[in-house]
Amino acid sequence: MSTLTQQEFVLGFFEAAPATYSNLRQLGKESFYAQGLPALKAEEYKFTPIAKKLEMSLTDLSPTKSIQINAERVKSALFAGFKGTVLVFSNGAYLPEHSTSTEGISVRLLSENESTPLGSIAKADKDPFVALNQATFSDGLHISLEKNKELDSPILLLQFHQAQGGQVISPRIWIEAGDFSKATFIDYPISLDDAPYFVNKVVEIKGGINANLTYHSLQQEHNQVIAVSNLVTDIQKDSQFTSTQITLSGDMVRNNLTLNLLGSNSVGNMYGIYLLNGKTHVDNHTNVDHTIPHAESNELYKGILTDQSRGVFNGKIFVRQIAQKTNAFQQNNNILLSEDAIINTKPQLEIWADDVKCSHGCTVGQLDEEAQFYLQARGIDKTTAKGLLLYAFAGEVLDKIEVDSLRNHIVAQIQERLGSKF
Amino acid sequence: MLSIKNLHASIEGTPILRGINLEIKAGEVHAIMGPNGSGKSTLASVLAGREEYEVTEGEVVFQGKELLELSPEDRAREGVFLAFQYPIEIPGVSTTNFLRTALNQVREYRGLEPLDAVKFLSLMKEKMALVEIDQKLLSRSLNEGFSGGEKKRNEIFQMAMLEPVLSILDETDSGLDIDALRIVSNGVNKLKSEKTATIVVTHYQRLLEYIVPDFVHVLYKGRIVKSGTKELALELEEKGYDWIKEEVDSTATV
């Protein structure tokens, strides 16, 4: 395997970018050059040497082509008992023939709606991968939800990924939710085979006033996948936004989640589970920006790590001077099951207002042996006892997932991983 | 039923049990008493299979099987039950869910069909009455936020559900008021039969007014230094442990 020079490597990203959004792409490219790939000790990527990982793993930086998906494949990917709207993507490209429609939701290709204000929420200068995606995304979807529309079933973003000629997949999604609307999204990428690829996704969500939006993301792509995602949302007054991020596998995964609380009486919730084994490396960087008074944010991430896996959690809470009466809560709890598993966890609070309630806490520990013995002393075998305890540990986050079919799917995955049924 | 011969055990290199000998037959209730640090709870823990303790010598035969060679879960499945001195709180696991898992694993080991939800529930209702425990409590996380009395009642409730052959009650009376003590003791007494045996580890004679022992053993410095009938417990209550300590220590120095 020949390695690319640094220059070839960086230039490689920009080959074969589509002609749409030429101005935006140019700005993205400039921003990317200005930032470069994160340097080895760059603060924001301190524990996640992603540039090195990319240079070592990628030899072909051309974008992947859309691949043929048959209806059977789509059907078999759905969670048992799933009811809702299904939007299917192949390597980032939307496949209308496999997707379903629901009244009140409109979907349009980004390439056919160049007026979409891409980059206005996820800003290119905030992160080099946002800039890179902005310069190179192939196509994507503009999803809008009508004012007053309350969906009672979720929208599944089913994304099939498979590298063939190229190795970079750059999905881009823009979601706009009208005032008083309510919707739940499920972000679910699936690897079609075990060939390696790099997926660099950007999702921008513009919420309306009094909107109630939920975004569940399930990451279980195979263990050769390098995945970076940036989810950025603007939250208006009287609104609620909830994110759950469940990560079960991957080679190196970096999730940047940014919540901008822009209106008073808004609530932002960030929940996550990472259940890691092998050499999987998962980095969750969250950032909530309290820009106005009387808003609330809640955060709870739970990690279970074994083998040589590595987890990183960085939770930034920014409370601006004007944002009095802010309530911000953050918690990150981790269980390490092996000697070699590592977690780096860091709460990062910047508080400029003086009348706020903010709390944070992180814990790193082992499985409670007393509790395990208690269960064994009642006749439960060691593996099941362990599984039961770990499942209970993660349960607090799983309970936040109100979509039964999704939760059942995740529970089954977790139980399988923990090697026990209960 | 249970035969303990010359049992030695230590924790982190410190010997705690220094040669316990005890024979227990079906239908019997044995009380183990003794001052603090004499090894009472260690004996209970070693029998249940707690891993921190290292057995350095001796053997324990339970119904013809080498107990010390079994895992904690297999001991439970064979019919040994330890009511914990400090029941563990486990957030996120309901008593109901945990007990169904436990009971069905025990049943599987004994070659019985698993209980379905309906049968499990009706069994639970029956046993709940025995220890006057509320169903609401059982659907909550295991022992989380339970009062001391509720935790101990939950222990006896679990015992009732699992129907052990040998029950070991480790200071089940500590921290209980008289009403809770009565309820817990009633539960234990109702579960006694000619086929089962009970070991009551306690500090106080009070419990033994409710659960009447056939034999009382005094543990001191890791050995059983005196055995007798329930009258011995009364004597201990009256005179304390000092006279026994003196007796033992004086002979030991000879």
Side-chain angles (χ1 to χ4, degrees), chain A residues 140-359:
Chain A
L141 214 54
H142 177 132
I143 304 167
S144 65
L145 191 64
E146 268 175 23
K147 188 177 170 180
N148 295 328
K149 181 72 190 176
E150 293 196 15
L151 292 178
D152 44 23
S153 61
I155 300 167
L156 177 64
L157 308 171
L158 191 58
Q159 302 148 69
F160 293 101
H161 291 161
Q162 183 181 38
Q164 350 85 312
Q167 293 185 305
V168 183
I169 304 168
S170 305
R172 183 99 192 187
I173 293 171
W174 173 271
I175 296 171
E176 233 173 78
D179 298 346
F180 300 93
S181 63
K182 182 179 177 190
T184 296
F185 295 86
I186 300 169
D187 186 315
Y188 184 33
I190 294 174
S191 308
L192 283 173
D193 59 20
D194 54 7
Y197 54 84
F198 167 48
V199 54
N200 178 29
K201 176 163 61 190
V202 175
V203 178
E204 291 174 271
I205 303 176
K206 188 182 174 200
I209 291 165
N210 211 107
N212 186 344
L213 302 176
T214 302
Y215 199 92
H216 300 299
S217 169
L218 172 61
Q219 293 175 312
Q220 53 173 144
E221 286 168 278
H222 66 71
N223 282 331
Q224 307 282 325
V225 173
I226 305 168
V228 175
S229 94
N230 274 279
L231 172 66
V232 188
T233 175
D234 281 354
I235 305 167
Q236 307 299 338
K237 68 173 182 179
D238 305 320
S239 292
Q240 177 169 313
F241 179 86
T242 302
S243 153
T244 60
Q245 180 72 58
I246 313 292
T247 309
L248 304 177
S249 56
D251 179 359
M252 183 175 275
V253 177
R254 165 68 176 234
N255 299 313
N256 293 327
L257 172 66
T258 302
L259 270 53
N260 298 316
L261 293 165
L262 302 180
S264 58
N265 196 33
S266 57
V267 178
N269 301 315
M270 296 162 281
Y271 305 119
I273 293 172
Y274 39 98
L275 173 63
L276 312 179
N277 61 6
K279 291 187 168 184
T280 298
H281 178 125
V282 172
D283 179 346
N284 280 297
H285 261 63
T286 67
N287 179 12
V288 56
D289 188 357
H290 285 262
T291 68
I292 36 74
H294 293 285
E296 179 183 319
S297 63
N298 302 293
E299 178 161 33
L300 177 64
Y301 271 71
K302 297 226 175 189
I304 300 171
L305 296 90
T306 187
D307 301 336
Q308 293 159 300
S309 62
R310 181 151 187 186
V312 180
F313 173 82
N314 190 106
K316 185 173 177 183
I317 300 174
F318 194 85
V319 182
R320 301 197 189 197
Q321 196 165 9
I322 188 179
Q324 301 293 0
K325 305 287 179 191
T326 284
N327 282 323
F329 306 104
Q330 180 187 94
Q331 189 72 234
N332 173 231
N333 307 113
N334 299 282
I335 291 181
L336 301 183
L337 296 173
S338 68
E339 290 275 322
D340 297 326
I342 297 174
I343 175 78
N344 296 101
T345 170
K346 181 177 134 200
Q348 186 185 355
L349 278 67
E350 285 183 44
I351 301 168
W352 298 94
D354 57 12
D355 184 13
V356 301
K357 247 190 258 171
C358 293
S359 72

Side-chain angles (χ1 to χ4, degrees), chain B residues 149-163:
Chain B
E150 286 170 339
K151 282 181 186 171
K152 296 297 171 82
R153 264 192 276 172
N154 194 1
E155 292 294 290
I156 306 305
F157 168 66
Q158 292 173 30
M159 178 174 142
M161 289 294 287
L162 296 172
E163 299 179 333

Side-chain angles (χ1 to χ4, degrees), chain B residues 13 19 29 55-56 62 89 95 102 107 111 143 147 151 154 157 162 186 190 201 245:
Chain B
V29 176
V55 174
T56 50
F62 174 66
E89 297 190 8
T95 305
R107 288 179 66 89
N143 290 329
S147 70
K151 282 181 186 171
N154 194 1
F157 168 66
L162 296 172
N186 270 345
K190 281 184 198 154
V201 174
K245 288 185 192 172

